[in-house]
Structures are given as structure tokens and as C-alpha cells.
Amino acid sequence: MLWLAVGSLIIFFLILIFVQGKKIQLADISFSRKVIAQRQDGLTRMFLFFTKLGKALPTIFLCLLLVLFTRTREAVALNVGITIMLTTGLTYIIKRIFKRERPRENRLVEEQDHSFPSGHASTAAAFYMGLFLNGYLYAGEFWWLVIPALVISFLIGFSRVYLGIHYFTDILGGWFLGLAIVFLVPLLMN
């Protein structure tokens, strides 16, 4: 699992280098415009739902649910909680250091914070992939959660591009930062 954590961190830092070098900016803008051009009422409602699912309150609520169930209370809830706290804290710090501006055009929702990495994407990867991995490692079950975890993480992250408030590299950076922490926490807790 260590190589997965290191690999995720390496990919995160490569994305960070590209974002800071501004060489990827034109591709980011072009991709965003293509996504935004596909907007439809039904898709917009769906992506608004997923972006709301990725906010702090639903994430905290879902973490609290893990504590209520005896099967997930011990190692799963603790590790996922630590993963969420570390991911949220690191995302906050990285946003303050690098201060990437958000896209300015075609926003369907407003955000005040910086853009890189996406907090929604990092937290979604941390929670849903953390739930899958820790459930699999410590409860011996939950292997079937890998597909829903990937799909929900993808939809929460991608909703941010669709809604016009993130570039795709913000989302990729968030996913890989969240994944790195998902893979590191079980190693540190054992």
C-alpha cells in the first residue's frame, strides 16, 4: 500500500507543478468550455446534487453514521475520520499557499476559496475510497464498495467542473491528494 500512497503523492505533485507552471491552463480552459457546452437541465440538477453531497455537512453526517454501526465503529470510523481531517487540513493549507484563481466565466454556483486542489474532490476521494479501503482491510468485507466509491468520488469532483467553479486539474489534484492520504492512514495506524 505504501507504493500506492507514494504514487498518488507523485502524481499530485506533478499536477501541482503543471498548474503552477501555467502550461496546462489553456487545456484546462478548453476542457471546461467543452464540459459547460454540454449543460442540460437534468444534468445540472444531478451535478448540483453531487456537489451538495460533497459539502462538509453531508460528509460529517456520513462519518457520524460510521460510528453508529458496530461493524464500522472501531477501525473503519477512526481511520476514515483521521483521513478526512488530514485531507481537509492539507487541502486548506495548499489552497492558501498556491492561491490558484477559480474560473470566472459560466459559474452556476459561487465559491470564495481558491481553486487548487478541489476540496470537494479531495474529501470525496478521502471519504468514499477511505470507506472502501478501511472496510475491506479491517472488516474483511465491503470489497463491493469499490465501484460505488469510484463513481461517487468521480461525480462529486466532476460536478465542480460542470458547474464552472473548478478546472479539471484542480479535481485531479484533489483526487490524488485524497487517495494518497487514504493509503497512508492505515499504514500509520498499524
Side-chain angles (χ1 to χ4, degrees):
M1 219 172 0
L2 180 61
W3 64 272
L4 290 170
V6 171
S8 296
L9 279 175
I10 289 170
I11 294 170
F12 170 78
F13 282 114
L14 288 172
I15 294 166
L16 175 61
I17 290 166
F18 280 117
V19 166
Q20 283 303 111
K22 301 194 190 291
K23 296 188 189 304
I24 198 92
Q25 188 73 17
L26 291 176
D28 256 344
I29 292 169
S30 174
F31 182 78
S32 292
R33 286 181 178 153
K34 288 176 183 171
V35 169
I36 288 167
Q38 304 304 314
R39 285 181 179 162
Q40 300 171 16
D41 289 343
L43 284 175
T44 299
R45 283 191 298 278
M46 180 186 79
F47 282 123
L48 283 169
F49 168 79
F50 280 103
T51 215
K52 288 175 185 172
L53 182 63
K55 287 195 169 285
L57 199 56
T59 303
I60 292 168
F61 175 75
L62 291 170
C63 284
L64 290 174
L65 281 178
L66 292 176
V67 175
L68 293 177
F69 297 101
T70 36
R71 291 184 65 106
T72 57
R73 183 176 302 135
E74 301 197 10
V76 176
L78 178 63
N79 282 3
V80 170
I82 290 169
T83 299
I84 293 294
M85 287 189 289
L86 286 173
T87 301
T88 303
L90 279 173
T91 299
Y92 179 84
I93 291 167
I94 293 166
K95 282 179 181 261
R96 298 300 167 291
I97 292 171
F98 294 101
K99 300 180 180 179
R100 187 182 196 191
E101 294 298 317
R102 290 182 182 273
R104 294 185 182 162
E105 304 170 1
N106 300 307
R107 291 184 183 186
L108 293 182
V109 295
E110 287 299 321
E111 293 285 348
Q112 302 301 318
D113 207 356
H114 298 292
S115 191
F116 184 87
S118 165
H120 276 69
S122 63
T123 304
F127 180 77
Y128 293 102
M129 295 307 293
L131 177 61
F132 156 69
L133 182 67
N134 287 288
Y136 179 73
L137 291 174
Y138 299 108
E141 295 182 22
F142 305 112
W143 59 267
W144 54 270
L145 280 176
V146 69
I147 299 300
L150 286 168
V151 169
I152 293 170
S153 295
F154 173 80
L155 290 170
I156 289 172
F158 193 75
S159 74
R160 309 300 281 171
V161 176
Y162 181 91
L163 297 172
I165 47 179
H166 273 293
Y167 298 108
F168 192 61
T169 50
D170 301 334
I171 305 307
L172 287 175
W175 283 332
F176 282 103
L177 177 63
L179 283 175
I181 297 168
V182 163
F183 294 128
L184 280 174
V185 167
L187 293 172
L188 298 174
M189 295 300 287
N190 283 337

